[in-house]
Amino acid sequence: MIARLLIASLFLLAAACDSLPRDPEGTLDRIRAEKIVRAGIVAGRDGNDLERAYLAAVARRAGARAIVQSGTAESLIGKLEAGEIDLLIGEFSPTTPWVTRVSFMPPLAERMTPYGNILLLAAARNGENEWIGLLHREAEALTEARLGSRQ
Amino acid sequence: MTRPIPPEIEPDLRRAIRLEWWTLAWLASIVAVMGLTAGSSQAMRTAWIEDMLSMVPAIVFLIALHFEHRPPTRRFPFGFKRVNSLAFLISAVALSAVGASLLIESTMTLLSKDHATIPPVTLFGNSLWSGWLMVAALVYSVVPPFILGRLKLPVARRLQDKVLHTDAMMQKADWMTGLAGVAGVIGLGFGYWWADALAAALISVSILQDGLNALRVATAELVDGAPRKLENADIADDAALLRNALAVRFPGADVRLREMGRFIHAEVRAEAPATLPDLETLWPGPPERRWRLAQLSFVPPPGEES
């Protein structure tokens, strides 16, 4: 009996492999339903090509279009935590203290300054693991494409 | 009337020592890996401290056994059998601390509504949710403590060793926490952010119960309470049988039993008989456990004391 249950659980898990993870707050489901990604870009960076390319790639992958608002990092992080925006892009220090409040993706770009390195990062609400997976993969794909085009 | 460490339990003692060294080797490898990967994650640091604490029963078992065999000295005229009782108290505190720490950590996570992020990883060119890797690691981590705990339990019963029994409970705590972790990570995957913390909180209550139970028995032993069972604070069956047998043998005498580590010391409040009985003939239980009765003393009843 236990062996049968175990086998049944394994089959269920194997079937779930592709459909997991899901978002506790349903971010990606809402984006797909409304076909809108609500993005926040930290003021001063909103005209940059890299952000636009990343946003376009993410929106395409989610089957949606992006609506962008700009603001300070603090106000946008507050909105991200409250679920008022789905995604945030801005420049942060590699040792940013916001790392416990939101989930950062792999860096889109890095630049050197006299005060240390600064990373261009996208961030999502903590725990929205399906949405974070999509953002993560697109950030890596964009960086790979940029490195490939340079070689 | 006292006896040295009985030869009939020596094979089991050697087996227990081997099992404890295996446990320490296994736990040391986990502590080393966790120490390297813990970084600044509070949850990982808590898990690391719990792993360090779960080494305590195995360490104190080995230390206690080292001393238990020593003969009495002028400074320790009653010998070192009670080192086992002290080791038991330390193990019980460690087990309770693991349960309490897990309960506090998981409750804090639930109260702060901390949504855990588990990102994807690239493995052999494929993107994979790292939750699956965590599940694989947790399933792997469950197997050794499950086997070691199961192997220790019968040996602990035969040796009436509460330290070894508490250590088996610690291994139970380890594998149950691992399985709760699997349920938690899969729950997170299904979008239930509270699954991990809730699973840990439920398991922590069971660990804390085991720890507090052991603490009750250890305290009873240290204040000369009657011998207790391995599993709970009830009077041990063989001790109850022995007490009845001695009461029949010495009618009207006040019979008192206490536990010195794995051994029972009996005190009969009566005049000593002209011919002292052989300890082995007094044991009413199974012959293979005759070694349990290590000492019988006769104390003049009140009123006859000078």
Side-chain angles (χ1 to χ4, degrees):
Chain A
M1 183 63 189
I2 292 173
R4 276 184 196 172
L5 271 175
L6 206 64
I7 290 167
S9 317
L10 283 177
F11 270 111
L12 273 175
L13 268 184
C17 266
D18 280 344
S19 63
L20 295 192
R22 293 178 198 157
D23 297 336
E25 307 297 335
T27 300
L28 190 54
D29 286 345
R30 193 199 48 74
I31 290 170
R32 282 179 178 144
E34 294 178 4
K35 301 193 184 305
I36 290 170
V37 177
R38 301 164 303 175
I41 293 186
V42 176
R45 294 279 320 173
D46 29 349
N48 192 287
D49 287 344
L50 202 52
E51 279 92 331
R52 267 191 258 151
Y54 180 64
L55 261 182
V58 166
R60 192 167 51 246
R61 183 67 65 187
R65 66 188 172 86
I67 294 177
V68 179
Q69 57 175 288
S70 62
T72 61
E74 289 80 3
S75 70
L76 290 176
I77 280 174
K79 287 183 176 180
L80 193 60
E81 281 184 302
E84 291 168 24
I85 57 175
D86 307 313
L87 162 69
L88 156 73
I89 307 175
E91 284 189 323
F92 294 90
S93 151
T95 55
T96 174
W98 299 114
V99 73
T100 57
R101 299 263 302 268
V102 294
S103 299
F104 286 101
M105 305 308 130
L108 300 169
E110 182 172 6
R111 69 185 173 94
M112 316 276 250
T113 74
Y115 315 106
N117 289 8
I118 292 183
L119 306 176
L120 179 64
L121 296 171
R125 194 178 184 186
N126 272 347
E128 296 298 278
N129 291 315
E130 187 178 12
W131 174 231
I132 287 167
L134 187 150
L135 294 177
H136 211 277
R137 282 188 287 273
E138 290 306 318
E140 282 180 341
L142 188 67
T143 306
E144 267 176 39
R146 283 178 60 226
L147 290 176
S149 67
R150 275 189 202 167
Q151 284 166 0
Chain B
M1 298 176 72
T2 56
R3 297 193 303 191
I5 295 291
E8 58 264 44
I9 62 169
E10 272 180 19
D12 272 333
L13 281 177
R14 279 199 296 274
R15 186 172 164 76
I17 292 170
R18 270 200 309 275
L19 286 170
E20 292 298 41
W21 278 115
W22 273 109
T23 306
L24 283 179
W26 161 250
L27 284 172
S29 72
I30 292 182
V31 167
V33 172
M34 293 279 284
L36 290 174
T37 56
S40 61
S41 157
Q42 189 54 44
M44 287 288 276
R45 288 211 164 273
T46 310
W48 188 57
I49 292 168
E50 282 161 11
D51 285 331
M52 297 267 277
L53 281 173
S54 62
M55 295 173 88
V56 169
I59 293 171
V60 294
F61 173 85
L62 291 169
I63 294 173
L65 205 57
H66 179 72
F67 281 96
E68 196 183 321
H69 290 283
R70 292 193 174 182
T73 65
R74 195 169 61 84
R75 286 165 67 84
F76 293 93
F78 291 98
F80 295 88
K81 289 195 183 82
R82 248 192 178 160
V83 178
N84 180 278
S85 312
L86 181 62
F88 177 36
L89 179 72
I90 296 170
S91 307
V93 170
L95 185 59
S96 306
V98 167
S101 142
L102 196 60
L103 183 61
I104 292 169
E105 169 80 13
S106 48
T107 310
M108 296 288 275
T109 306
L110 284 174
L111 288 178
S112 63
K113 297 184 178 173
D114 200 3
H115 287 40
T117 295
I118 305 181
V121 284
T122 306
L123 204 65
F124 309 116
N126 292 314
S127 180
L128 176 77
W129 184 48
S130 51
W132 294 121
L133 292 185
M134 289 181 183
V135 168
L138 284 165
V139 167
Y140 169 71
S141 79
V142 154
V143 178
F146 184 81
I147 295 172
L148 283 169
R150 288 292 166 115
L151 289 176
K152 280 176 193 173
L153 269 180
V155 182
R157 285 195 194 107
R158 287 199 296 272
L159 290 174
Q160 193 68 25
D161 198 304
K162 301 193 185 83
V163 188
L164 195 61
H165 186 264
T166 311
D167 195 29
M169 292 298 104
M170 189 69 97
Q171 260 86 73
K172 183 180 151 204
D174 283 346
W175 69 255
M176 280 172 73
T177 311
L179 283 189
V182 171
V185 171
I186 292 174
L188 275 175
F190 276 102
Y192 305 120
W193 64 267
W194 40 262
D196 196 26
L198 186 68
L202 291 176
I203 294 301
S204 71
V205 172
S206 150
I207 298 171
L208 195 56
Q209 259 175 352
D210 283 343
L212 293 178
N213 208 6
L215 211 49
R216 277 181 69 195
V217 179
T219 314
E221 191 172 320
L222 283 174
V223 296
D224 282 344
R228 301 296 207 265
K229 286 182 178 173
L230 280 179
E231 299 81 10
N232 56 49
D234 294 344
I235 305 286
D237 294 337
D238 56 0
L241 273 176
L242 175 64
R243 198 188 169 283
N244 288 341
L246 290 174
V248 169
R249 177 101 179 218
F250 305 102
D254 180 13
V255 176
R256 297 177 183 182
L257 304 183
R258 59 181 162 153
E259 212 159 25
M260 306 278 266
R262 71 187 84 250
F263 302 99
I264 294 177
H265 283 209
E267 191 176 290
V268 177
R269 301 213 151 206
E271 284 299 326
T275 320
L276 289 175
D278 181 5
L279 281 183
E280 293 193 351
T281 61
L282 293 174
W283 183 251
E288 66 273 17
R289 286 174 71 83
R290 274 185 196 142
W291 56 267
R292 274 271 276 162
L293 177 58
Q295 183 178 306
L296 172 67
S297 353
F298 291 92
V299 177
E304 290 181 30
E305 283 173 290
S306 54

